[in-house]
């Protein structure tokens, strides 16, 4: 069986699972300064699936692909520590403010540039935007079939894959031809930990922007080992059309994010009798919450 080329879509996200009282600013936006940036949890499951395939199929290449600000290089290093072969950062101020349409367009152009990709895997959803749209939209744009909500890999060859996907009322086993895009759910196997030898090597991996700020001995180390160089692609590098990226390419605008805190005076204690339930239904219908 020939080796496969796998792209793992990974997003750096604020750690919204450990939200404290200062996580939101007064204007309702996320206070990124107090939330550490982490590898999106589902994307770690997707990376694990790619690495399991690499373990099974000799010579398989695993490439992390992320669109994000310059600090997203940390995410690529994290992927390299866990076993990815390379990582690519798609980073340019003009990509900023992207909704899922513009994000998936940008990722699709990068995948086309990578070329001959057998398998694209990503998480089901990111814990900040939470839309679960980016994977399916990317599949449409690269013309690959898509299989979503995967929780088990049963078999893979260079022409097909068999996977189990979790549905609301059960589990579906799907056989799909390759190439394909798959989104992997958080119930898939947990990602393997960092490998000590890889940490020792890839802690020196740098993007061009980072390299410029490094002392000469680090520059020399990276120049002598090209695997330590993290490519950084701009709008021009992926041949993206300006009106399809960033804010101009994003019809969805997040107008406002509201921090809803329920106070005691909004809470009501009801008894489980018909009168109280009728009363509550009447209030909910009257205030148009249901109806
Ligand atoms: C509060 C809030 C609400 C939002 N609401 C909307 C909305 O209603 N509609 C809309 O279009 N956009 C919305 N956005 C913007 C949205 O977060 C971005 O478009 C984001 O880049 C991708 O969407 P997502 O985070 O929902 O990712 P999801 O679609 O949930 O991500 C699924 C998977 O796609 C891959 N992926 C996603 N982004 C990247 C990336 N940058 N690089 C590499 N892989 C990636 C990862 O594998 C990820 O697990 C919202 C953002 C915020 C903060």
């Amino acid at each position: 069986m020939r080796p496969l080329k796998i792209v793992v879509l990974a997003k750096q996200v604020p750690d919204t699972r450990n939200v404290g009282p200062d996580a939101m600013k007064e204007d309702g936006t996320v206070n990124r300064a107090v939330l550490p940036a982490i590898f999106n949890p589902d994307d770690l499951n997707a990376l694990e699936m790619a690495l399991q395939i690499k373990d099974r199929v000799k010579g398989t290449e695993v490439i992390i692909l992320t669109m994000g600000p310059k600090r997203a290089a940390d995410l690529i290093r994290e992927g390299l520590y866990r076993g990815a072969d390379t990582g690519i950062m798609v980073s340019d101020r003009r990509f900023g403010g992207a909704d899922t349409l513009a994000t998936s367009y940008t990722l699709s152009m990068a995948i086309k540039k990578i070329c001959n990709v057998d398998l694209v895997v990503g998480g089901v959803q990111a814990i900040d935007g939470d839309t679960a749209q980016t994977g399916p939209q990317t599949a449409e744009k690269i013309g690959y079939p898509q299989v979503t909500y995967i929780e088990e890999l049963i078999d893979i060859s260079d022409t097909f894959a068999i996977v189990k996907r979790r549905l609301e009322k059960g589990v579906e086993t799907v056989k799909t031809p390759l190439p394909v895009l798959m989104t992997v759910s958080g119930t898939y196997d947990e990602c393997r930990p960092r490998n000590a030898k890889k940490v020792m090597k890839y802690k020196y991996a740098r993007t061009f922007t980072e390299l410029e700020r490094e002392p000469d001995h680090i520059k020399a180390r990276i120049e002598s080992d090209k695997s330590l160089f993290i490519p950084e692609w701009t709008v021009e590098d992926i041949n993206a059309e300006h009106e399809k990226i960033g804010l101009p390419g994003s019809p969805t605008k997040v107008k406002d994010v509201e921090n809803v805190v329920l106070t005691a005076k909004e809470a009501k204690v009801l008894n489980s009798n018909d009168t109280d339930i009728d009363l509550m239904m009447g209030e909910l219908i009257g205030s148009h919450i249901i109806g």
Side-chain angles (χ1 to χ4, degrees):
M1 180 175 156
R2 71 176 169 84
L4 300 173
K5 195 193 261 191
I6 307 177
V7 168
V8 180
L9 303 178
K11 184 181 182 187
Q12 195 181 46
V13 291
D15 191 355
T16 53
R17 295 167 309 177
N18 295 311
V19 172
D22 49 357
M24 300 288 276
K25 295 186 203 162
E26 273 180 18
D27 63 1
T29 58
V30 175
N31 186 1
R32 286 178 193 268
V34 299
L35 291 174
I38 57 163
F39 208 110
N40 180 51
D42 283 6
D43 301 350
L44 279 175
N45 298 96
L47 174 60
E48 178 56 26
M49 182 163 115
L51 295 174
Q52 287 173 359
I53 297 170
K54 183 176 160 70
D55 292 342
R56 288 193 202 184
V57 186
K58 208 171 171 323
T60 287
E61 187 185 0
V62 174
I63 305 163
I64 305 267
L65 176 64
T66 190
M67 179 190 86
K70 305 293 176 197
R71 63 172 180 275
D74 287 337
L75 170 143
I76 294 195
R77 278 185 285 272
E78 186 62 47
L80 294 169
Y81 297 158
R82 292 174 191 249
D85 296 285
T86 47
I88 297 167
M89 265 215 8
V90 181
S91 190
D92 191 313
R93 278 183 185 281
R94 290 168 288 175
F95 293 127
D99 69 1
T100 55
L101 199 66
T103 302
S104 57
Y105 170 73
T106 305
L107 294 174
S108 72
M109 294 305 282
I111 294 165
K112 285 177 190 170
K113 182 176 163 102
I114 294 168
C115 195
N116 296 328
V117 176
D118 298 289
L119 189 59
V120 180
V121 290
V124 165
Q125 65 191 68
I127 57 170
D128 57 346
D130 245 359
T131 64
Q133 294 167 359
T134 307
Q137 288 179 351
T138 305
E140 287 293 316
K141 291 183 175 70
I142 56 176
Y144 283 16
Q146 56 181 277
V147 187
T148 52
Y149 294 94
I150 291 175
E151 61 174 23
E152 194 183 333
L153 171 73
I154 296 172
D155 196 10
I156 185 137
S157 78
D158 49 14
T159 53
F160 70 87
I162 302 175
V163 289
K164 277 192 181 169
R165 57 190 299 258
R166 168 68 55 181
L167 303 176
E168 260 177 42
K169 289 190 179 155
V171 175
E172 190 177 63
T173 303
V174 177
K175 182 174 183 181
T176 170
L178 261 53
V180 65
L181 183 146
M182 300 191 189
T183 70
V184 181
S185 101
T187 51
Y188 194 88
D189 298 342
E190 200 179 314
C191 191
R192 63 198 64 188
R194 296 170 172 186
N195 171 299
K197 273 192 186 162
K198 291 184 192 293
V199 174
M200 292 314 288
K201 175 177 176 181
Y202 289 115
K203 67 182 181 184
Y204 296 106
R206 294 289 183 275
T207 61
F208 183 70
T209 308
E210 291 176 320
L211 195 58
E212 280 183 324
R213 293 192 297 264
E214 293 293 356
D216 285 347
H217 72 278
I218 302 270
K219 283 185 182 145
R221 182 189 280 262
I222 293 165
E223 267 149 30
S224 67
D225 182 354
K226 294 290 176 233
S227 70
L228 295 176
F229 188 69
I230 302 173
E232 215 174 336
W233 288 352
T234 63
V235 175
E236 286 70 29
D237 289 325
I238 59 168
N239 280 322
E241 292 175 42
H242 290 235
E243 63 278 13
K244 291 188 180 172
I245 58 161
L247 276 176
S250 301
T252 315
K253 308 276 181 269
V254 180
K255 185 166 167 259
D256 191 18
V257 180
E258 217 177 307
N259 192 4
V260 180
V261 181
L262 291 177
T263 57
K265 74 176 170 41
E266 288 164 318
K268 207 171 235 181
V269 179
L270 296 171
N271 295 312
S272 57
N273 58 45
D274 288 349
T275 319
D276 274 16
I277 290 170
D278 283 349
L279 197 71
M280 183 183 72
M281 292 304 284
E283 280 185 26
L284 290 174
I285 292 168
S287 55
H288 303 291
I289 293 171
I290 58 170

